[in-house]
Amino acid sequence: MSVLLPVFNSEKFLSQALTSLSAQSFADFEVIAIDDGSTDRSGDMLTAHAAADPRFHVTRRENRGLIATLNEAIAMAQGRFLARMDADDICFPSRFKAQLAAFADEPGLAICGTNFVTMHANGRVSRAGADILSEPRDLAIASRFFTSLRHPTVMIDREAMGDQLHYDNAYPCAEDFDLFRRVAEQGRLRQLVEPQLAYRLHPGSVSRLRARTMTQSHVGILEENLRRFYPQASGTGIDGLVDAPGPQTAALAADLICRLARLAPAQPETERPAFNLARRTIFYFLYSYMMFNGKIANVAAFLNGCDGWSLVRRREWPLIKAAPMLSGLCDSAYRRVRQIDDIGAFLTTCPAVDLVPGFNQTLSSTPEV
């Protein structure tokens, strides 16, 4: 088994990630760690950890980007099973053992992801989601609409992947969405209900720093998938959401939601629950993009166009309705609403030690560099 660990300027959290890998209950693996041109101490930290744990194989070179680094790591890996890991997350000690057991129980399984807890910048942790898609049939449908698995949780059986085991440069910041949708057409995906990873959110994460690129790639993949699987819902122009935001794009987004709603009754009964979940996910994706990116003035048109008011919290209605006339004021007020939401979310979090097995052990430092 091989672990694919791309690293770029990750010194703040890298020690915990490395320690959590070394502490796995399943011990027969290698780590392909590639320092992608870091300008901080990440490379030195990797070298020091590899000196203490010979399962770590470190490559240090100039920056080439995440997708090139992942493909390079795949080419270097010796194992049949490939586990993804990010340099700022924490593996539970049982992760590899649990995923390998899933592959043993289900021959032909191509990718196995897991549930996860979310670690916030303040060091506290949110519990794992209770309602997740776990079955291959549901994940196959979901993979047409969004990233159906959390990328750093996945383990891949390269023998079940055929010619699909590569990441495509055409989809920056959504290379995982593209991989999962391709694999789901030919193989099976599964997601373990028990969390096996602490997924860290922080201001330096890709989801924060490159949100625009991520959204653009995701919408592009979605439109490709609609053309392939649901042509009646394609061609709305929603792939211009990032480049040309405005009332017209909001109307196009509403049109997409309406088209998906009209398609829902015609879906096979076994696929309909996952399809309906997917179209709700797309609704909230579009709604959140407009609300969180200073486009609140366009949200009323979107909700009117797709009859989506009942899916939105009533306390947000006055801001949305007033935004076309008082856009700046409503954007500011909505930021305050989000701050209040953050306080409420904080009250539901726990200390990391309560939800992350072996957390205290990950606080032990990597050998001195």
Side-chain angles (χ1 to χ4, degrees):
M1 198 206 89
S2 302
V3 181
L4 312 180
L5 177 63
V7 178
F8 178 70
N9 286 350
S10 304
E11 66 175 0
K12 185 174 182 180
F13 305 114
L14 181 58
S15 176
Q16 286 187 293
L18 299 177
T19 303
S20 74
L21 288 171
S22 289
Q24 288 294 298
S25 58
F26 176 85
D28 187 14
F29 62 87
E30 64 172 356
V31 177
I32 307 299
I34 300 180
D35 175 28
D36 187 29
S38 294
T39 57
D40 63 4
R41 295 171 59 250
S42 296
D44 293 337
M45 294 172 70
L46 287 172
T47 300
H49 196 89
D53 188 339
R55 295 174 296 181
F56 284 70
H57 308 296
V58 177
T59 297
R60 302 177 67 174
R61 53 152 174 75
E62 77 284 355
N63 181 263
R64 299 177 190 171
L66 176 61
I67 293 175
T69 300
L70 287 172
N71 286 328
E72 182 179 347
I74 290 170
M76 296 170 63
Q78 299 298 307
R80 169 182 171 180
F81 296 98
L82 307 179
R84 270 286 284 117
M85 178 66 179
D86 280 348
D88 51 2
D89 296 333
I90 299 174
C91 276
F92 290 11
S94 57
R95 176 190 165 184
F96 295 164
K97 183 177 180 180
Q99 289 180 292
L100 288 168
F103 282 107
D105 291 342
E106 190 173 342
L109 183 64
I111 300 181
C112 178
T114 81
N115 207 342
F116 57 93
V117 300
T118 302
M119 183 171 291
H120 302 279
N122 56 24
R124 293 178 68 86
V125 175
S126 297
R127 297 183 183 278
D131 298 319
I132 66 167
L133 296 177
S134 61
E135 294 300 317
R137 178 186 61 214
D138 296 332
L139 290 167
I141 300 301
S143 294
R144 300 171 182 175
F145 293 90
F146 56 87
T147 308
S148 56
L149 303 170
R150 187 69 67 171
H151 198 192
T153 74
V154 303
M155 183 179 287
I156 297 166
D157 180 359
R158 66 197 312 167
E159 291 188 4
M161 294 285 287
D163 61 356
Q164 298 301 319
L165 184 51
H166 63 276
Y167 292 93
D168 193 331
N169 269 311
Y171 306 103
C173 300
E175 69 284 341
D176 48 356
F177 186 3
D178 172 61
L179 176 67
F180 301 155
R181 57 110 175 228
R182 285 188 280 113
V183 174
E185 284 194 59
Q186 301 180 9
R188 295 201 303 279
L189 280 58
R190 181 170 292 284
Q191 185 163 218
L192 304 183
V193 175
E194 287 297 316
Q196 296 291 345
L197 183 113
Y199 178 79
R200 193 187 302 269
L201 293 177
H202 59 91
S205 61
V206 172
S207 59
R208 301 285 178 85
L209 293 178
R210 302 192 65 188
R212 187 178 187 277
T213 300
M214 182 180 294
T215 300
Q216 197 164 33
S217 291
H218 273 72
V219 173
I221 294 173
L222 173 62
E223 179 61 22
E224 290 178 4
N225 290 342
L226 292 175
R227 287 198 298 267
R228 180 174 175 81
F229 297 104
Y230 310 102
Q232 302 95 320
S234 68
T236 61
I238 191 61
D239 46 340
L241 176 69
V242 176
D243 290 332
Q248 182 178 2
T249 307
L252 297 177
D255 183 29
L256 171 60
I257 298 302
C258 291
R259 293 188 190 195
L260 291 174
R262 289 194 293 269
L263 286 175
Q267 300 309 303
E269 186 175 352
T270 57
E271 297 182 4
R272 200 174 304 144
F275 181 89
N276 284 329
L277 173 63
R279 67 186 181 91
R280 286 196 301 273
T281 301
I282 295 302
F283 170 87
Y284 287 115
F285 166 73
L286 296 170
Y287 171 76
S288 298
Y289 180 79
M290 287 183 275
M291 291 292 283
F292 293 174
N293 290 277
K295 312 301 178 188
I296 190 172
N298 302 322
V299 173
F302 170 65
L303 296 178
N304 287 333
C306 65
D307 194 23
W309 288 97
S310 63
L311 299 175
V312 176
R313 296 180 300 183
R314 296 185 70 91
R315 66 178 181 176
E316 295 175 7
W317 288 13
L319 290 177
I320 295 170
K321 291 178 178 180
M325 296 173 291
L326 302 168
S327 178
L329 180 62
C330 290
D331 283 337
S332 177
Y334 186 65
R335 286 194 292 271
R336 182 62 59 87
V337 169
R338 291 179 63 189
Q339 291 173 351
I340 295 172
D341 288 343
D342 289 342
I343 294 172
F346 173 80
L347 296 176
T348 68
T349 61
C350 305
V353 68
D354 291 351
L355 293 180
V356 183
F359 178 77
N360 284 339
Q361 285 74 14
T362 68
L363 296 176
S364 62
S365 63
T366 290
E368 292 296 325
V369 299

